């Protein structure tokens, strides 16, 4: 089975394998089972910056999950958030990446048992129905379709497909989402830059750009951010920052400046340090709001629950570790909260959710 490869030390890929080898791999990993749940599932994580889709064999949750998880194929595309790029472009992105991952896996749409999409911008039943209507046009009627916000897939990546606890995503955007044992859900933030996702990469970088302009005007303190950001953008004057910003105010383009802010904060720049401290407080507050809505901490406030940490903003930096500071702040509110760093990517979490949802639906149908 020479087509297996390691990816980032976490998952296997199995791409462009001959059909006979694919069938052998499925049998080897016991992915076909006595319950008749052969075939594959698709998991998709669609963010503001990129979209990742994986194809996996169906994995019944009644059995121990294999380690590492068998990923048959993986594909990457651009943004699939309809709020960012419009409905037509978002639909095209989803259709193209699904076709690509099926082609890579040597499979087809008829072999798909279930699809779970976690997409940023899906914040309302109307959003879900819109995406479902796109999917119904490209999959056979027997395929089970599940559409969630990307926070749900991110949570599943930390809990291996079982929904309980809280997830904090801080990348280009940010959101906190949680689900209790009884299935009750809650969320905070995730409303985009205009409505104030200040703990996000966009929020951090936008405040840094604002600080540069304020310093240039004389409305704010001088800051190391000015020289650092001008150098990063290959600009000669703060006046040029205005034109650069409005030439293409995409969220991801601006959020890419976060490393410059972290660098300045590590160099003891007080303006940059203040921006990061505010981001930490905002992110911790979004988790606090979700935990309190769901009662995840128990009646005494000391109950144990996972907080899945996802996104580039929360990855460990040198001395100014945003994720570490957020965890410390959360644990001041809830001593029983414990951070979880996912061992699989959110797209794999979405695929595991597809398996979980399909098993649950089958059991309910059998009982009825």
């Amino acid at each position: 089975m020479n087509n297996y490869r390691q990816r980032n030390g976490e998952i296997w890929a199995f791409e462009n394998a001959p059909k006979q080898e694919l069938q052998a791999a499925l049998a080897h990993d016991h992915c076909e089972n006595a319950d008749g749940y052969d075939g594959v599932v698709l998991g998709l994580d669609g963010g503001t910056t990129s979209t990742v889709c994986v194809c996996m064999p169906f994995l019944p949750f009644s059995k121990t999950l294999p380690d590492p998880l068998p990923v048959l194929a993986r594909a990457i595309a651009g943004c699939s958030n309809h709020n960012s790029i419009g409905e037509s472009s978002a639909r095209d992105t989803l259709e193209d990446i699904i076709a690509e991952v099926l082609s890579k896996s040597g499979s087809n749409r008829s072999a798909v048992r279930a699809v779970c999409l976690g997409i940023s911008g899906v914040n309302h039943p109307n959003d879900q129905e819109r995406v479902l209507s796109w999917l119904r046009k490209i999959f056979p009627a027997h395929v089970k379709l599940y559409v969630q916000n990307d926070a749900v897939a991110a949570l599943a990546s930390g809990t291996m497909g079982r929904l309980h606890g809280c997830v904090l995503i801080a990348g280009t955007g940010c959101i906190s989402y949680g689900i209790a044992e009884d299935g009750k859900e809650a969320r905070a933030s995730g409303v985009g830059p205009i409505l104030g996702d200040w703990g996000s990469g966009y929020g951090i970088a936008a405040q840094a750009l604002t600080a540069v302009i304020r310093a240039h005007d004389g409305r704010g303190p001088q800051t190391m951010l000015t020289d650092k950001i001008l150098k990063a953008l290959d600009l000669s004057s703060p006046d040029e920052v205005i034109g650069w910003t409005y030439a293409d105010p995409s969220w991801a383009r601006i959020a890419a400046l976060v490393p410059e802010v972290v660098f300045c904060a590590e160099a003891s720049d007080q303006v940059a340090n203040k921006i990061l401290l505010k981001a930490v407080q905002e992110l911790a507050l979004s988790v606090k709001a979700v935990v309190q809505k769901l009662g995840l901490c128990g009646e005494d406030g000391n109950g144990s629950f996972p907080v899945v940490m996802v996104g580039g903003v929360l990855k460990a930096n040198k001395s100014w570790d945003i994720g570490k500071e957020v965890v410390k702040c959360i644990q001041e509110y809830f001593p029983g909260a414990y951070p979880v760093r996912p061992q699989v990517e959110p797209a794999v979490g979405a695929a595991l959710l597809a398996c979980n949802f399909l098993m649950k639906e089958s059991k309910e149908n059998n009982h009825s």
Side-chain angles (χ1 to χ4, degrees), residues 164-167 179 287-288 290-292 295-298 301-308 330-331 333-340:
H164 173 254
C166 184
V167 62
I179 185 166
V287 172
K288 180 183 179 182
V290 168
V291 172
Q292 289 180 329
L296 294 176
C297 56
N302 295 317
S304 178
F305 62 92
V307 180
V308 179
I330 292 170
Q331 290 177 334
Y333 298 131
F334 311 111
Y338 58 92
V340 174

Side-chain angles (χ1 to χ4, degrees), residues 149-323:
N149 185 274
D150 61 333
V152 182
L155 175 60
S157 72
T159 59
M160 299 303 284
R162 292 175 172 83
L163 293 179
H164 173 254
C166 184
V167 62
L168 174 63
I169 305 175
T172 300
C174 65
I175 187 172
S176 180
Y177 165 84
I179 185 166
E181 293 283 6
D182 61 3
K184 184 180 178 182
E185 301 173 70
R187 57 171 284 177
S189 299
V191 293
I194 294 176
L195 298 178
D197 281 350
W198 300 125
S200 68
Y202 178 96
I204 291 170
Q207 289 179 79
L209 290 170
T210 300
V212 169
I213 297 301
R214 288 177 62 85
H216 181 61
D217 288 349
R219 293 181 292 125
Q222 294 301 306
T223 169
M224 181 181 178
L225 288 167
T226 299
D227 290 340
K228 188 65 177 171
I229 288 178
L230 289 179
K231 184 177 180 180
L233 301 181
D234 195 25
L235 302 177
S236 58
S237 165
D239 289 326
E240 296 179 51
V241 170
I242 302 170
W244 178 89
T245 300
Y246 291 110
D248 178 12
S250 69
W251 303 354
R253 176 173 173 263
I254 291 173
L257 292 171
V258 168
E260 316 306 328
V261 185
V262 174
F263 179 92
C264 293
E266 289 176 342
S268 301
D269 181 85
Q270 290 304 304
V271 174
N273 191 65
K274 186 176 180 180
I275 289 172
L276 294 188
L277 285 174
K278 183 177 180 181
V280 167
Q281 293 166 357
E282 288 287 339
L283 293 171
L285 280 174
S286 69
V287 172
K288 180 183 179 182
V290 168
V291 172
Q292 289 180 329
K293 288 176 183 177
L294 298 176
L296 294 176
C297 56
E299 293 184 3
D300 61 359
N302 295 317
S304 178
F305 62 92
V307 180
V308 179
M309 309 284 284
V310 177
V313 171
L314 301 176
K315 289 182 178 178
N317 293 296
K318 296 178 182 178
S319 59
W320 223 119
D321 190 327
I322 298 173

